Structures are given as structure tokens and as C-alpha cells.
Amino acid sequence: MASTIEWTDETWNPVTGCSRVSPGCDNCYMFALYPRLHAMGVPGYEKSPDTVTLLPERLNAPLTWKAPRRVFVNSMSDLFHPKVPFEFISQVFDVMRQADQHIFQVLTKRPGKAAGWWEKCGKHEFSEWPSNVWIGTSVENDKYAPRLTVLGRIPAEVRFVSAEPLLGPLDLTPWLYDGTLQWVIVGGESGPRARPMEEEWADSLKEQTTHAKVSFFFKQWGGRKGKRSGDKALLDGRLWQEMPVAV
């Protein structure tokens, strides 16, 4: 499905449903959007949003897309949710490996399971991490930054962090300089219960990232009314929409 998310082109959801793991999940758009899709009768959303559902019938969709695109994997779930079996993760990776005309962006709040799958299954089945599969983790403030140490165990060519919603100060310096991160996405929370993002938090991350010569993408300011995204997402008077590689 074509996406309005600024840093991707398409979403692909072979899994739907998820569960909250940290404060960044509190107002997750998935829990608001899921009931609407259910009411519209969209296949894959028959159950409750906190029920993880595997949808093998969606697996081969990227193989039918001819034009290269960036694909956000499981925008309505988490590929590395505890209820997604390793076997199904391997099937998803096999499709991504085959569909090498695309770049797949896998974002998880559970990098430990991602690293565990790779060690136990992935590296034996694929020998090398597919070069067209980027992997990132969400970090909303300093408390959850240790997720990045775990992310660094995964041998992807592009590893990234999504600091959205950014809920507090965040120091990425250790992971910017040890080679863990090739891309940093920053954004404020949006929606009726949006928690504010301080400008100094976003500006600090921009400074950290640019000094380390790592790609920086400022997605939106967020807020209860008007996300100030797209061409309105100005930080220090300019747009920051860098990508780690040319796509």
C-alpha cells in the first residue's frame, strides 16, 4: 500500500496486530487505525489490534512490484514480536532477499529477538544479511537507548534509529561513532493525546548526527493539530530529509 510516511514509499504488512512495550507505544497510530480498517472490512484486521495475526497470503506481494521502492515492513505490527515464529520471519526475509529491486525498512522495538533470530536461524539460512534490508529500532528517550547496543549485533549494511515520538533528551553519540547507526529519524508525536517534543531535543540530535556524518531525517514536529510534516518540517530553517544510500 502506498504510504504517506515521508521516509518510505510503500507499506507491506504480512503481520498485523501488536502490543505495547514502552512509553513510545502509548499513543501508537496502529491502535487508532486498526479499528477503522476492521470496520471497513479490510482483510487482516478481523481480530483485535492486540492480537498478532500472520498473513502468509501477503508474503509474495513485493515480488509483483516491478518499480523499485522503499518498503516499510509491518507498519501495523512488529516483525519481531514474541508471537511471530522464527519460521515466519525467515519466510519474510526470503521474500525480501528475492525482491532485491526494493529496499526494505524493518523497524522493531524488539532488537533482541531480531539478533536472536539471526544467530539461531538467519545466518544459517541466508549466510549473509540481505544488503537491501535495513533494520532499525525505536528509541524515545535515553532510558531506551540501550536497544541500540543490541541493534549493533545485527550485521545489516544499514542500521537506523527512529526517535519518534521523541519524548525526552537522547544522546546517540556512542552508537553514532562506533558504526552502529547509518541513519537517524526524528519526529514529534501527533494526535489528540500528543506529548510535546522540545525543540532543543530535536536540535541536539541534528547536531550529534551531522557532526558524526550520519544521515539525518527530521520527519515532523507533531502536536495535537497539524503535524508540520513534509515541507513544513523545518528545523533550523531548513528541511532535513537525508537517506543513508541513494535509492
Side-chain angles (χ1 to χ4, degrees):
M1 181 182 294
S3 176
T4 59
I5 299 170
E6 289 80 0
W7 47 262
T8 198
D9 303 314
E10 192 93 17
T11 58
W12 174 45
N13 284 285
V15 183
T16 58
C18 201
S19 53
R20 295 177 171 92
V21 295
S22 63
C25 302
D26 288 353
N27 300 320
C28 178
Y29 68 86
M30 188 278 292
F31 289 96
L33 181 57
Y34 199 109
R36 298 180 209 168
L37 297 173
H38 174 81
M40 293 165 58
V42 177
Y45 301 94
E46 294 86 357
K47 300 177 182 179
S48 64
D50 56 359
T51 299
V52 174
T53 302
L54 308 184
L55 299 165
E57 65 273 19
R58 295 184 178 181
L59 280 173
N60 291 328
L63 298 173
T64 69
W65 304 333
K66 302 304 181 185
R69 61 197 76 182
R70 295 173 304 224
V71 182
F72 179 13
V73 181
N74 285 331
S75 62
M76 296 294 286
S77 186
D78 186 334
L79 182 61
F80 297 102
H81 191 281
K83 293 186 178 178
V84 180
F86 279 179
E87 179 182 1
F88 194 79
I89 294 170
S90 294
Q91 291 177 44
V92 171
F93 266 77
D94 188 48
V95 171
M96 295 192 291
R97 179 188 58 79
Q98 292 181 62
D100 58 3
Q101 70 271 36
H102 309 309
I103 287 176
F104 293 91
Q105 300 158 311
V106 181
L107 180 61
T108 181
K109 284 189 172 68
R110 301 164 174 92
K113 181 169 179 180
W117 167 79
W118 177 251
E119 287 298 319
K120 293 180 180 178
C121 299
K123 69 180 181 181
H124 306 294
E125 296 171 354
F126 302 100
S127 71
E128 293 183 351
W129 186 277
S131 60
N132 63 321
V133 178
W134 301 357
I135 187 162
T137 192
S138 301
V139 176
E140 58 263 48
N141 55 33
D142 273 329
K143 179 178 179 180
Y144 297 96
R147 289 174 180 164
L148 296 168
T149 299
V150 181
L151 185 73
R153 292 163 42 196
I154 299 170
E157 289 187 12
V158 174
R159 292 179 295 255
F160 65 97
V161 61
S162 174
E164 183 192 5
L166 183 60
L167 301 179
L170 179 57
D171 181 7
L172 296 178
T173 304
W175 302 281
L176 289 169
Y177 285 96
D178 71 359
T180 295
L181 293 173
Q182 288 74 49
W183 193 28
V184 174
I185 302 167
V186 175
E189 190 168 52
S190 60
R193 295 188 295 275
R195 293 160 286 185
M197 177 182 67
E198 299 293 336
E199 183 174 351
E200 63 186 78
W201 303 341
D203 194 60
S204 172
L205 285 172
K206 183 262 297 179
E207 292 295 326
Q208 293 173 45
T209 305
T210 54
H211 286 166
K213 296 181 171 56
V214 170
S215 298
F216 179 74
F217 196 109
F218 185 65
K219 181 174 175 286
Q220 64 182 35
W221 283 102
R224 291 176 174 81
K225 293 183 179 180
K227 298 186 297 183
R228 290 179 291 168
S229 59
D231 60 5
K232 296 180 180 179
L234 300 178
L235 180 62
D236 288 345
R238 58 160 284 189
L239 290 174
W240 298 85
Q241 297 184 340
E242 299 170 347
M243 291 283 177
V245 293
V247 294

